[in-house]
Amino acid sequence: MNTQIIDGKLIAETIKSELKNKVLTLKEQSITPGLAVILVGENPASQVYVNNKKKACEYVGMKSFSYELPAQTSEKEVLDLVETLNNDNHVHGILVQLPLPKHMDEQKIILKIDPAKDVDGFHPQNVGALSIGLEGLVSCTPAGVIELLKRSEIEIAGKHCVVVGRSNIVGKPVSLLLLREHATVTICHSRTKNLETVLKQADIVIAAVGITKFITGSMLKPGVVVIDVGINRDENGKLCGDVDFKSCQSVASHITPVPGGVGPMTIAMLMHNCVLAATNQGGASN
Ligand code: NDP
């Protein structure tokens, strides 16, 4: 099989370059998109994500406002900060880096974010908009998956897409987006019976399970498109996905690697959401 490896890094760079131009246009209208990132506690992985987000903002010409708070910060202090940022017209996007410390109610904090500034797309208003086909901010990783497919010229309409995973962050929203693109969608999860039989029928597989090398080539139909959302570590501590790349590559027509597939798209789509939010809100001065 002449398999095409989808280069998520390259596609993400292209998106960020396009956004650079959009930011320049907004700046001509005296609008500089601004992203506020709230990080509570000293989770090393979260710190890496937050730094990458700051760098991406700089690259596309946006402002970033960083709030790095100690782990013992109270829920009320975070809610008050979100309220302040909701009312700050230099801030067009607000992102609360998850997970939060255990003494905080994540849902309560997400609910506090102005849906127009909810660039993670986690607010129930944006989730609801997605499910009934209204405009809204779509969460970044699922939006990145769709963008990867489209920019790789993979037709989605009429295709049987099997999504493995039903989380609120990946599985469910990506399923809704695929449906919006007119795919026939099957959602699988830990209680799915005969997963292999279902997978064998897929034209496009989206793996969002969180288990190292869970999907192998023998489970798939030749010519399938494989999108691996997973970010795991293998037995040697090496970054790997939910898909066994080697065996799946031999049957797939297209496949995403880990790293360098879906991962870089998440940040690119976050920048996209910030620019969209700034465009929708307008008004803030440079
Ligand atoms: P969750 O743990 O929230 O969800 C995992 C899903 O997989 C659940 O719906 C679960 O089913 C299902 N599942 C678990 N075991 C099985 C099984 N044996 N058979 C079928 N389904 C199963 O994970 P997330 O959705 O948050 O993340 C999934 C992966 O994507 C992770 O590796 C994560 O690190 C990665 N990720 C990557 C991002 C990126 O930027 N590339 C962003 C976000 C996540 P059930 O609901 O029944 O428990």
Side-chain angles (χ1 to χ4, degrees), residues 88 101 165 176 179 204 228 234 274 281:
D88 183 340
L176 288 167
L179 200 57
I204 300 175
D228 189 353
D234 70 8
C274 292
Q281 288 160 55

PDB file of all heavy atoms in Angstrom, residues 88 101 165 176 179 204 228 234 274 281:
ATOM      1  N   ASP A  88     -12.556  42.343  30.207  1.00  0.00           N
ATOM      2  CA  ASP A  88     -11.376  43.043  29.685  1.00  0.00           C
ATOM      3  C   ASP A  88     -11.405  42.986  28.163  1.00  0.00           C
ATOM      4  O   ASP A  88     -11.293  41.910  27.565  1.00  0.00           O
ATOM      5  CB  ASP A  88     -10.119  42.350  30.242  1.00  0.00           C
ATOM      6  CG  ASP A  88      -8.838  43.040  29.819  1.00  0.00           C
ATOM      7  OD1 ASP A  88      -8.855  43.798  28.825  1.00  0.00           O
ATOM      8  OD2 ASP A  88      -7.801  42.789  30.467  1.00  0.00           O
ATOM      9  N   PRO A 101      -6.504  21.789  40.139  1.00  0.00           N
ATOM     10  CA  PRO A 101      -6.352  21.063  41.411  1.00  0.00           C
ATOM     11  C   PRO A 101      -7.705  20.530  41.900  1.00  0.00           C
ATOM     12  O   PRO A 101      -8.755  21.090  41.570  1.00  0.00           O
ATOM     13  CB  PRO A 101      -5.812  22.146  42.350  1.00  0.00           C
ATOM     14  CG  PRO A 101      -5.204  23.175  41.481  1.00  0.00           C
ATOM     15  CD  PRO A 101      -5.981  23.164  40.198  1.00  0.00           C
ATOM     16  N   GLY A 165     -13.750   6.128  21.274  1.00  0.00           N
ATOM     17  CA  GLY A 165     -13.659   7.072  22.392  1.00  0.00           C
ATOM     18  C   GLY A 165     -14.860   8.003  22.359  1.00  0.00           C
ATOM     19  O   GLY A 165     -15.312   8.407  21.284  1.00  0.00           O
ATOM     20  N   LEU A 176     -19.634  14.683  16.350  1.00  0.00           N
ATOM     21  CA  LEU A 176     -20.600  15.695  15.899  1.00  0.00           C
ATOM     22  C   LEU A 176     -20.079  16.452  14.678  1.00  0.00           C
ATOM     23  O   LEU A 176     -20.842  16.754  13.754  1.00  0.00           O
ATOM     24  CB  LEU A 176     -20.908  16.671  17.038  1.00  0.00           C
ATOM     25  CG  LEU A 176     -21.761  16.095  18.171  1.00  0.00           C
ATOM     26  CD1 LEU A 176     -21.744  17.013  19.382  1.00  0.00           C
ATOM     27  CD2 LEU A 176     -23.202  15.884  17.698  1.00  0.00           C
ATOM     28  N   LEU A 179     -20.368  14.297  11.654  1.00  0.00           N
ATOM     29  CA  LEU A 179     -21.783  14.267  11.250  1.00  0.00           C
ATOM     30  C   LEU A 179     -22.136  15.538  10.475  1.00  0.00           C
ATOM     31  O   LEU A 179     -22.828  15.500   9.458  1.00  0.00           O
ATOM     32  CB  LEU A 179     -22.625  14.163  12.524  1.00  0.00           C
ATOM     33  CG  LEU A 179     -24.053  13.667  12.407  1.00  0.00           C
ATOM     34  CD1 LEU A 179     -24.107  12.290  11.764  1.00  0.00           C
ATOM     35  CD2 LEU A 179     -24.692  13.619  13.807  1.00  0.00           C
ATOM     36  N   ILE A 204     -12.904   5.674   7.626  1.00  0.00           N
ATOM     37  CA  ILE A 204     -12.039   6.589   8.391  1.00  0.00           C
ATOM     38  C   ILE A 204     -12.117   6.178   9.857  1.00  0.00           C
ATOM     39  O   ILE A 204     -13.222   6.003  10.385  1.00  0.00           O
ATOM     40  CB  ILE A 204     -12.501   8.064   8.235  1.00  0.00           C
ATOM     41  CG1 ILE A 204     -12.463   8.497   6.764  1.00  0.00           C
ATOM     42  CG2 ILE A 204     -11.661   9.005   9.105  1.00  0.00           C
ATOM     43  CD1 ILE A 204     -13.017   9.903   6.481  1.00  0.00           C
ATOM     44  N   ASP A 228      -4.899   9.376  14.424  1.00  0.00           N
ATOM     45  CA  ASP A 228      -4.545   8.944  15.782  1.00  0.00           C
ATOM     46  C   ASP A 228      -4.458  10.162  16.708  1.00  0.00           C
ATOM     47  O   ASP A 228      -3.530  10.968  16.614  1.00  0.00           O
ATOM     48  CB  ASP A 228      -3.182   8.232  15.716  1.00  0.00           C
ATOM     49  CG  ASP A 228      -2.809   7.543  17.015  1.00  0.00           C
ATOM     50  OD1 ASP A 228      -3.535   7.714  18.007  1.00  0.00           O
ATOM     51  OD2 ASP A 228      -1.783   6.831  17.023  1.00  0.00           O
ATOM     52  N   ASP A 234       5.166   4.700  25.344  1.00  0.00           N
ATOM     53  CA  ASP A 234       5.304   3.245  25.237  1.00  0.00           C
ATOM     54  C   ASP A 234       6.212   2.723  26.356  1.00  0.00           C
ATOM     55  O   ASP A 234       6.651   3.487  27.222  1.00  0.00           O
ATOM     56  CB  ASP A 234       5.767   2.824  23.839  1.00  0.00           C
ATOM     57  CG  ASP A 234       7.216   3.219  23.548  1.00  0.00           C
ATOM     58  OD1 ASP A 234       7.910   3.680  24.486  1.00  0.00           O
ATOM     59  OD2 ASP A 234       7.639   3.077  22.394  1.00  0.00           O
ATOM     60  N   CYS A 274      -8.940  31.943  18.645  1.00  0.00           N
ATOM     61  CA  CYS A 274      -8.684  33.280  19.219  1.00  0.00           C
ATOM     62  C   CYS A 274      -8.922  34.351  18.168  1.00  0.00           C
ATOM     63  O   CYS A 274      -9.518  35.396  18.470  1.00  0.00           O
ATOM     64  CB  CYS A 274      -7.248  33.393  19.712  1.00  0.00           C
ATOM     65  SG  CYS A 274      -6.922  32.368  21.124  1.00  0.00           S
ATOM     66  N   GLN A 281     -15.728  39.684  18.275  1.00  0.00           N
ATOM     67  CA  GLN A 281     -15.908  40.691  19.330  1.00  0.00           C
ATOM     68  C   GLN A 281     -15.521  42.090  18.861  1.00  0.00           C
ATOM     69  O   GLN A 281     -16.146  43.069  19.245  1.00  0.00           O
ATOM     70  CB  GLN A 281     -15.057  40.339  20.562  1.00  0.00           C
ATOM     71  CG  GLN A 281     -15.583  39.145  21.337  1.00  0.00           C
ATOM     72  CD  GLN A 281     -14.486  38.537  22.204  1.00  0.00           C
ATOM     73  OE1 GLN A 281     -13.865  39.211  23.004  1.00  0.00           O
ATOM     74  NE2 GLN A 281     -14.234  37.253  22.027  1.00  0.00           N
TER      75      GLN A 281
END
